[in-house]
Amino acid sequence: MNEALPDVPEVRVVGLPQLTSGFDLVERLDLPMHLKVHGPLEPMGGEQLAQLSERINLKGRGGAGFPFHKKLRSVAEAAIKRGVRPVVVVNGSEDEPACRKDTVLINRAPHLILDGALLCAEAMGARTLVIGVTRESTQRSMEAALAERGLSNGRRSALRARVQRNPVRMVTGAAASLIRSIDGGPAIPPGRKVSASRSGVGGAPTLLSNAETFAQLAIAARIGPERYGNTGLYDEPGTVLLTVSGAVARPMVIEVPTGVPLRYVLQLAGAPPVPQGVLTGGYHGKWIDAATVDEAIVSRTSLQQVGGSLGAGAILPIGQNTCPLGESLRVAQWLAEESAGQCGPCYLGLPAAARGLEDILNGGGPAALEAVKQVAKNVKRRGACSHPDGSAMFLESTLKAFTDDLAAHVLGNGCGRPVEGVLPLFETGRAPTGVPGGGEENGPSRQKIFVDWTLCRGHGLCADILPEVFQLGADGFPTVAQAEVPRFAEAKAVRAVRRCPALALRIEEDTRAQAPSSRGNLPVLSQGRGRRALGR
């Protein structure tokens, strides 16, 4: 059973450290120590940076894996064409319960990330730099790093730099969500997809990438493409950061050269010798079985070839003594709860998929299995962000990877194993809410909505507008008479009241609503059955 995963777990390295250089000397590299360990960094031109990124085949390390050189050139061309200054955004949001690699980098090597971001800002003539975070520890570390460099958000600053703190939610990490929050809106995706490279923060072309991506760029800029290419695979040079948790003796963040066998990484963390399966890429990733683990090496291409995914760099093995479908159900339920609640295929489809998987576990038979497959298929490519796509990929991978267990549940009386809860989730399955300084839409409810049954005629419009609160029963009428309205859905609640044809809805302020707790908002991971949840 895995222990709680703190913001900064144990850090290990295979081979020579690059991103983690100096971690054996101090807990956090401030600017003087950073310069002692890594040395100074000379400015580079925009095309020079793009060529460097292309030569080392640098791809985004946040999950999507988009080539960084293409993003650089796209932003620069858009800025020149429009005659505006671009914006640089570092995405340090890391809101999956099993991911900590970027959090470790921001907490222990923030200046390495800033090196890469400032290289890009200077090369493209950007005058705005924003670092998006979601945790108190990462906010403190990055704000301290900006102060150590004399950077601020003052109007007279040559480069205005600041930290944007958002709520800990799965959808917060989406690029569109971060940009929307920087512009003063809620940290959820907008209803339409627009390329940040063309129109991002304030409508300006925006270079947005993951924290590790900027750190990798800083390493390559210092040592050059030849030395950088001496580590790892020829077509995917360098190192990667992985977060290894699940059924391991020592959860850790580990820096490894590409090409290292996945089996070796699992052994370092104390995983079972023959895991029942390994979830690769995090909760928007894919399962691989025990036989496939021996074939896989740490690289984006290799993991794809064996049916896995590098994704956000999370690796989670499970042992033979837990039900893999039950473990996956816990994740599926969490993914459903993490919906932004604004796209029907997501906020209706993902809960339906989770219920379908639960039906399979409860003996629903072939009909339940077909229902899950159909729902997973229907939610793809129909949302404002990648959350429904990633969640559907996880569900489909679960059904494909554990066929024996699936048959036992669908055709028999189940696999007979308990669910031990080895895949980490936030306490109560949810991320902390009420984050100060950003994300008030996730605080405690301030409103209640009521149905006046003397007026309600069962038009059903309330369920269409406010599905977070209302569902229709078999008779076509709402199934609740009163309910709390989530903060992020308050505007929709007002719209539901105004558009109700029978004027049967009303909103009242909830006087019992508590102010957000003054306690820290760092995540606490569930420890499964019979285990006490450990704090920070």
Side-chain angles (χ1 to χ4, degrees):
M1 188 74 67
N2 59 306
E3 296 297 324
L5 198 60
D7 276 13
V8 183
E10 176 184 356
V11 178
R12 297 284 297 274
V13 61
V14 174
L16 296 176
Q18 291 187 357
L19 299 173
T20 59
S21 293
F23 282 21
D24 57 333
L25 303 175
V26 291
E27 284 300 309
R28 178 183 179 276
L29 279 74
D30 60 12
L31 185 56
M33 180 58 73
H34 167 74
L35 293 174
K36 286 181 181 179
V37 170
H38 292 284
L41 183 59
E42 296 298 323
M44 300 177 69
E47 182 56 28
Q48 192 179 3
L49 268 181
Q51 290 177 5
L52 171 66
S53 304
E54 188 171 10
R55 288 186 65 182
I56 66 172
N57 195 20
L58 179 60
K59 295 182 178 180
R61 301 299 177 90
F66 191 80
F68 191 73
H69 70 92
K70 291 184 178 180
K71 192 178 293 187
L72 261 174
R73 289 191 172 107
S74 178
V75 173
E77 289 169 3
I80 293 171
K81 183 177 180 179
R82 292 173 51 191
V84 297
R85 291 190 181 275
V87 175
V88 176
V89 175
V90 177
N91 193 347
S93 310
E94 196 170 40
D95 303 318
E96 283 193 45
C99 293
R100 290 296 186 277
K101 68 181 184 67
D102 292 323
T103 303
V104 163
L105 268 182
I106 295 173
N107 274 285
R108 300 199 62 180
H111 289 285
L112 200 59
I113 300 165
L114 286 179
D115 278 348
L118 292 172
L119 268 179
C120 295
E122 185 168 354
M124 296 190 300
R127 292 293 180 263
T128 303
L129 168 64
V130 183
I131 302 96
V133 300
T134 54
R135 304 174 191 274
E136 183 181 347
S137 63
T138 49
Q139 180 182 8
R140 285 198 309 264
S141 180
M142 192 54 77
E143 286 179 343
L146 292 177
E148 289 163 6
R149 288 179 179 253
L151 295 172
S152 73
N153 196 34
R155 291 185 177 181
R156 296 184 179 180
S157 301
L159 174 70
R160 299 184 64 174
R162 67 181 179 90
V163 175
Q164 172 73 24
R165 174 88 177 274
N166 286 329
V168 179
R169 291 188 67 197
M170 185 73 165
V171 295
T172 300
S177 299
L178 179 53
I179 289 172
R180 192 177 183 186
S181 70
I182 293 170
D183 283 338
I188 57 177
R192 59 192 180 93
K193 294 182 179 180
V194 179
S195 170
S197 299
R198 293 196 301 269
S199 179
V201 175
T206 299
L207 177 68
L208 186 150
S209 200
N210 166 264
E212 184 191 343
T213 313
F214 284 107
Q216 293 282 1
L217 181 66
I219 292 292
R222 277 187 168 88
I223 66 177
E226 289 79 15
R227 271 185 63 192
Y228 190 92
N230 289 338
T231 300
L233 300 171
Y234 173 78
D235 57 344
E236 291 185 46
T239 64
V240 295
L241 284 179
L242 303 173
T243 311
V244 187
S245 63
V248 298
R250 299 186 310 279
M252 63 177 60
V253 168
I254 181 169
E255 182 182 12
V256 299
T258 55
V260 168
L262 182 60
R263 169 69 67 185
Y264 182 65
V265 173
L266 294 172
Q267 289 174 349
L268 285 177
V274 184
Q276 186 174 184
V278 178
L279 181 58
T280 59
Y283 294 161
H284 278 177
K286 296 181 179 180
W287 289 99
I288 58 176
D289 59 27
T292 306
V293 170
D294 291 330
E295 305 172 23
I297 62 175
V298 177
S299 84
R300 188 176 302 276
T301 300
S302 171
L303 287 171
Q304 287 176 345
Q305 288 174 345
V306 299
S309 168
L310 180 61
I315 305 294
L316 300 105
I318 59 172
Q320 299 286 346
N321 55 349
T322 189
C323 173
L325 299 182
E327 293 287 346
S328 297
L329 172 60
R330 294 173 64 247
V331 175
Q333 291 170 335
W334 179 78
L335 289 169
E337 291 174 346
E338 287 300 293
S339 169
Q342 58 182 0
C343 302
C346 182
Y347 69 69
L348 298 177
L350 296 187
R355 289 192 298 268
L357 187 55
E358 188 174 18
D359 287 345
I360 292 174
L361 287 164
N362 292 332
L369 175 58
E370 289 305 314
V372 173
K373 290 180 178 179
Q374 188 61 44
V375 171
K377 179 181 178 181
N378 289 343
V379 302
K380 290 180 181 177
R381 295 177 295 278
R382 297 178 67 191
C385 69
S386 61
H387 182 56
D389 298 339
S391 301
M393 182 168 67
F394 168 80
L395 285 164
E396 290 176 335
S397 173
T398 299
L399 300 180
K400 183 178 179 181
F402 303 109
T403 53
D404 290 345
D405 293 88
L406 193 62
H409 283 280
V410 171
L411 303 176
N413 296 319
C415 66
R417 286 171 290 185
V419 179
E420 296 195 337
V422 296
L423 298 181
L425 292 174
F426 293 112
E427 183 70 4
T428 72
R430 293 288 308 194
T433 58
V435 176
E440 209 173 276
E441 71 274 7
N442 282 318
S445 173
R446 299 177 300 187
Q447 297 177 345
K448 272 196 170 184
I449 192 166
F450 295 82
V451 179
D452 185 337
W453 295 115
T454 65
L455 298 175
C456 182
R457 295 294 179 266
H459 294 97
L461 194 60
C462 57
D464 291 335
I465 297 175
L466 195 61
E468 299 86 354
V469 173
F470 292 115
Q471 291 185 349
L472 301 181
D475 58 0
F477 285 81
T479 56
V480 297
Q482 62 181 20
E484 291 185 348
V485 178
R487 279 282 187 98
F488 67 85
E490 287 178 353
K492 290 200 286 185
V494 172
R495 190 159 67 249
V497 170
R498 290 174 176 172
R499 295 185 60 184
C500 176
L503 303 178
L505 301 177
R506 77 179 190 275
I507 290 176
E508 293 181 5
E509 290 296 318
D510 187 358
T511 57
R512 298 173 302 166
Q514 301 276 328
S517 170
S518 60
R519 294 178 59 191
N521 291 291
L522 304 185
V524 181
L525 304 185
S526 171
Q527 301 304 302
R529 297 182 178 183
R531 295 295 297 260
R532 179 174 64 87
L534 301 179
R536 290 165 283 163

